[in-house]
Amino acid sequence: MPNEVVVARPQVEVGDSAFTIAQRQFDMAAEYLPQYPKGIMAKLRVPERELTVNFPVRMDSGDIQMFTGYRVQHSTVRGPAKGGIRFHPGVTLDEVKALAMWMAWKTAVVGIPYGGAKGGVICDPKQMSIHEVERLTRRYTSEISIIIGPESDIPAPDVNTNAQTMAWFMDTYSMGTGYTVPAVVTGKPLDLGGSVGRNEATARGCQFTIRRAAKRLGLNLAEATVAVQGYGNAGNIAARLLHADGATIVAVSDSKGGIYNPKGFDPDAVLRWKHETGSVVGFEGTDKVTNAELLELPCDVLVPAALEKQLTRYNADRVRARIVGEAANGPTEPEADAVFHDKGIFVIPDILANAGGVTVSYFEWVQDLQFLFWDEEEVNKRLEQVMNRAFDEVINIAEQKKVNNRIAAYILSIDRVARATMLRGIYP
Ligand code: NAD
C-alpha cells in the first residue's frame, strides 16, 4: 500500500522563506482540489490583511525606543481570525505571514469555526525588564486594536509570551471599550477567564494523535521508546503524558543540549532538574547528546517540540523513528517528508498534531462568551473527540488520494476554507 502513494517533491531551495514554503505546501495540496476556480485558490494563498505598526515605548532608563510589530490575518472566511503573538528578535513579516497561513489550515483541519492569524513584535524580551515588556505589550495591543476583537481576531500566547502577557492584552483592550472583554484573547490566567486544560492542551492533543497512529501501526505505546526535542510547554508535557501511557522516554533536549539513556528515565524528575539547574543537561544516569544527534537516535516515536526546520533533506534519511509527531510548528522541510515517506515513517503533521492548543483556546473563548466554565474532564473529553475525528479524516484522505499525511491535512483544510469561500461568494 505505501508504495502506491504519490509523494509530491517540491523544489525547496536552501534559504527559502517560511512563507514561500507555506505557499508551496498550499500549491501541492491545491492540485488535488481542481473543482475550485483558480481565482478562489489565488485568494486563499495570500493573507487578507497585513498590519505593520511602528511604535514608541518608554524604557526604564527614561529613553524612548521604537519597535516594529505585525498582525497578519490570513483568513476570516470560516470565522474570526485566531493566532498567537510572538515576541522575538527574529520576527519578520514573512514569518508572521507563514504562521498566519498555517493557523488558517490548523483551525480548519480540526473543524473549529475560526480563520487564521499571527502577530509578532521584533524585540528581545529576555533583555527587557518586566515593566518594559508590559508597556510594550500594552502599546502593541493598542496599535493593533483596530483589527482585534472577540468577534474579529482573537490573539493567544506564542514564543516568549504567556498568560501574564495575555492578561495585559485583555486589560488594555478592555480599557478601550470601557468594560471587561475576556474573550478578546485566549491563554489567559484562570482567574481572568482562562480554561482549565489549556496549558496541557497542545501536548495532550499530540498524545491523542500519537496514540491513534501507534494503534494503526500495531505499536504498543507501553513498549515504545520516545525522544522529544524541546522541553518547554509542548515538549515536557508531551514527554510526561506519553510516560504516563507507559512509554519509555529515552531522550529529551532543550536549547543547551540533550540527554539520552536507552533504558529510559523519569521525565518528571528531569523537569525538576531543569527547574533547579536551568537545563535538562547533566541529569543523573544520562549521556549528553546534541540536539542534532537526538533526532537520529533509535526510538519508536520522535516528537520535535522546539523549532522550525529541524528535520531536513540533510538528516531525514538518518531518522530511525516509526512515528514523527510534530508538536512544533514547521519542524520538517517538505523534502524531508518525501524521505520519510520512502522510509515508511508515519508523520503526524504539525497542523494536526499540535492543533490541541488552538482547540482548547476555542473552548476558552466559548466559555468566556457564555460566562459558563467547564471542568477539566469535560475539556479533555471534548478535545479527544476533536483530535480523533480530525486524525481519522486526514488519514482517510491520505488513503483515498494516495498522498502523504501532510498533503492530506492540507487538502482537508483548504477544501473546507475554499468551500466556505464559495458559499459566501465574492463581495460585492
Ligand atoms: P517553549 O518556549 O515553552 O519551549 C521551547 C523549548 O525549545 C524550550 O525547552 C527551549 O529550551 C527549546 N529550544 C529552544 N531552542 C532550541 C534549540 N536550538 N534546540 C533544541 N531545543 C531548543 O515553547 P512551546 O510553547 O513548547 O513551543 C514549542 C513549539 O511548539 C513551537 O514550535 C511552537 O510554535 C509549537 N506550538 C506550541 C503550542 C503551545 O500551545 N505551547 C501550540 C502549537 C504549537
Side-chain angles (χ1 to χ4, degrees):
M1 174 66 190
N3 291 337
E4 297 169 27
V5 175
V6 179
V7 179
R9 291 169 195 270
Q11 295 304 305
V12 174
E13 305 301 328
V14 176
D16 260 355
S17 78
F19 188 59
T20 303
I21 291 175
Q23 285 193 318
R24 287 190 183 180
Q25 290 167 334
F26 173 88
D27 293 341
M28 281 161 50
E31 282 183 26
Y32 293 88
L33 298 164
Q35 66 271 37
Y36 295 109
K38 283 200 164 51
I40 294 289
M41 294 319 240
K43 175 190 183 310
L44 298 190
R45 76 194 290 284
V46 292
E48 286 176 11
R49 283 200 186 111
E50 303 168 26
L51 176 63
T52 299
V53 291
N54 298 300
F55 57 92
V57 174
R58 193 177 300 282
M59 308 306 279
D60 292 347
S61 63
D63 291 347
I64 292 163
Q65 195 174 322
M66 288 299 292
F67 289 88
T68 298
Y70 307 102
R71 183 71 183 173
V72 174
Q73 296 173 345
H74 186 83
S75 174
T76 56
V77 175
R78 297 178 58 259
K82 183 89 188 85
I85 287 169
R86 182 172 287 200
F87 288 173
H88 195 272
V91 164
T92 62
L93 179 57
D94 181 277
E95 181 191 58
V96 176
K97 281 163 65 177
L99 290 163
M101 193 189 209
W102 285 324
M103 281 307 298
W105 312 143
K106 196 181 295 186
T107 57
V109 90
V110 284
I112 56 178
Y114 281 145
K118 204 80 182 188
V121 178
I122 307 168
C123 64
D124 189 353
K126 291 181 181 156
Q127 303 299 323
M128 297 165 69
S129 75
I130 189 165
H131 305 295
E132 289 170 339
V133 174
E134 177 177 351
R135 288 195 290 273
L136 178 135
T137 304
R138 289 185 180 279
R139 181 65 189 241
Y140 169 70
T141 304
S142 193
E143 293 285 339
I144 66 168
S145 65
I146 50 172
I147 60 168
I148 296 291
E151 285 156 346
S152 55
D153 183 353
I154 305 131
D158 191 67
V159 175
N160 291 330
T161 57
N162 54 28
Q164 176 62 71
T165 326
M166 296 305 110
W168 292 326
F169 198 106
M170 189 275 263
D171 182 72
T172 306
Y173 184 87
S174 300
M175 290 301 114
T177 54
Y179 52 91
T180 301
V181 188
V184 68
V185 283
T186 58
K188 296 180 296 294
L190 289 180
D191 290 326
L192 292 175
S195 175
V196 288
R198 172 62 187 89
N199 194 40
E200 301 78 18
T202 301
R204 200 176 286 282
C206 197
Q207 175 199 28
F208 291 145
T209 59
I210 289 171
R211 277 186 190 166
R212 208 103 174 143
K215 199 168 165 201
R216 282 187 71 82
L217 300 183
L219 174 69
N220 180 0
L221 269 187
E223 291 167 7
T225 53
V226 177
V228 181
Q229 187 195 50
Y231 217 57
N233 175 275
N236 95 66
I237 300 177
R240 287 153 57 212
L241 289 173
L242 291 168
H243 186 250
D245 275 345
T248 304
I249 310 301
V250 294
V252 300
S253 67
D254 58 30
S255 58
K256 301 204 172 96
I259 54 172
Y260 176 52
N261 179 343
K263 295 207 175 88
F265 47 76
D266 173 9
D268 287 299
V270 173
L271 186 63
R272 288 194 293 275
W273 173 257
K274 183 172 165 66
H275 283 154
E276 278 167 31
T277 65
S279 173
V280 298
V281 175
F283 181 70
E284 191 182 18
T286 61
D287 293 329
K288 188 170 180 196
V289 290
T290 65
N291 263 293
E293 286 164 349
L294 177 138
L295 301 172
E296 301 172 14
L297 291 171
C299 62
D300 296 308
V301 181
L302 174 64
V303 181
L307 303 173
E308 288 124 64
K309 291 195 196 174
Q310 295 301 295
L311 299 163
T312 66
R313 80 197 76 168
Y314 304 111
N315 62 7
D317 62 346
R318 293 194 297 275
V319 170
R320 291 187 262 177
R322 293 178 66 189
I323 296 172
V324 174
E326 295 183 342
N329 281 314
T332 307
E333 274 191 343
E335 290 207 344
D337 270 331
V339 177
F340 289 158
H341 170 70
D342 290 345
K343 287 169 60 104
I345 294 175
F346 191 99
V347 176
I348 312 169
D350 49 5
I351 61 169
L352 171 64
N354 70 35
V358 74
T359 301
V360 177
S361 273
Y362 163 61
F363 296 163
E364 177 178 336
W365 178 75
V366 168
Q367 293 169 82
D368 287 341
L369 291 175
Q370 298 182 13
F371 297 96
L372 179 68
F373 290 86
W374 311 340
D375 61 22
E376 194 161 355
E377 196 186 342
E378 172 97 30
V379 169
N380 291 343
K381 191 182 75 193
R382 287 176 184 261
L383 174 63
E384 185 164 17
Q385 282 168 355
V386 169
M387 297 306 298
N388 286 348
R389 188 189 59 217
F391 181 94
D392 291 348
E393 285 174 334
V394 168
I395 301 310
N396 283 344
I397 291 176
E399 286 178 351
Q400 276 167 21
K401 304 223 182 248
K402 303 190 188 317
V403 294
N404 67 38
N405 294 343
R406 189 180 317 279
I407 300 297
Y410 273 78
I411 292 172
L412 175 65
S413 52
I414 295 168
D415 189 23
R416 283 184 173 150
V417 183
R419 205 162 52 241
T421 308
M422 295 286 283
L423 284 166
R424 287 181 62 155
I426 298 300
Y427 175 87

